[in-house]
Amino acid sequence: MYTGGCLCGAVRFEIHGGIRNIVECHCSRCRKAQGSAFAANGIVEAGDFVITRGEDKLTGYESSPGQVKYFCKTCGSPILSRNAAKTGQVRVRLGTIESDIVERPMAHIFVSSRANWDEITDDLPQYDSYEPGR
Ligand SMILES: [Zn+2]
Ligand SMILES: [Zn+2]
């Protein structure tokens, strides 16, 4: 089991299962949502993601049709996103997980949108759109 939470501690969650398809997304929306060079997101089965505290402290923003990014109302930590077309899964922002995780990123996506100061120095596959199969 993995545990995590937001910066101020109001929102706490547990992940009772694995994380798959971890990607580092360099698209402009993710960069703004994280305030950083990229977002590190992974898929968790919706039933495996349990908010143990502060569900009422989460608020959402529909960043593109059907896709809502949820973050803490108090501290702004981005926690997860939900897609109306894929209700069986959530996409968790890996930086909010406090446990050591065993899974590893599989790819960089939307690399054509990356910030001009951002240099990719690892050997993971790079895609100009979503990773194959999404
Ligand atoms: Zn918070
Ligand atoms: Zn993105």
Side-chain angles (χ1 to χ4, degrees):
M1 183 185 79
Y2 297 147
T3 58
C6 68
L7 180 60
C8 75
V11 180
R12 301 288 306 166
F13 63 83
E14 296 174 352
I15 298 172
H16 296 261
I19 305 169
R20 57 192 172 81
N21 289 56
I22 296 173
V23 293
E24 297 182 1
C25 184
H26 299 256
C27 85
S28 58
R29 285 194 298 269
C30 283
R31 289 196 282 118
K32 289 191 182 221
Q34 316 295 309
S36 189
F38 57 84
N41 301 328
I43 295 173
V44 172
E45 297 306 312
D48 290 342
F49 186 83
V50 180
I51 296 172
T52 54
R53 190 166 79 204
E55 186 150 22
D56 61 323
K57 299 283 205 260
L58 278 179
T59 190
Y61 171 67
E62 190 171 17
S63 58
S64 50
Q67 202 209 61
V68 181
K69 297 179 191 295
Y70 292 91
F71 53 94
C72 173
K73 282 180 195 172
T74 299
C75 69
S77 286
I79 307 287
L80 77 155
S81 68
R82 297 183 194 274
N83 190 318
K86 297 175 185 169
T87 54
Q89 66 187 43
V90 298
R91 295 186 67 83
V92 179
R93 278 46 190 161
L94 264 62
T96 61
I97 297 172
E98 293 152 10
S99 315
D100 289 337
I101 69 169
V102 298
E103 298 88 350
R104 290 293 176 264
M106 59 177 284
H108 294 274
I109 63 172
F110 289 94
V111 294
S112 56
S113 300
R114 77 183 186 281
N116 75 330
W117 48 269
D118 177 23
E119 188 181 353
I120 296 172
T121 56
D122 62 39
D123 295 326
L124 291 174
Q126 299 182 18
Y127 302 104
D128 279 339
S129 180
Y130 289 114
E131 70 277 19
R134 178 131 44 127

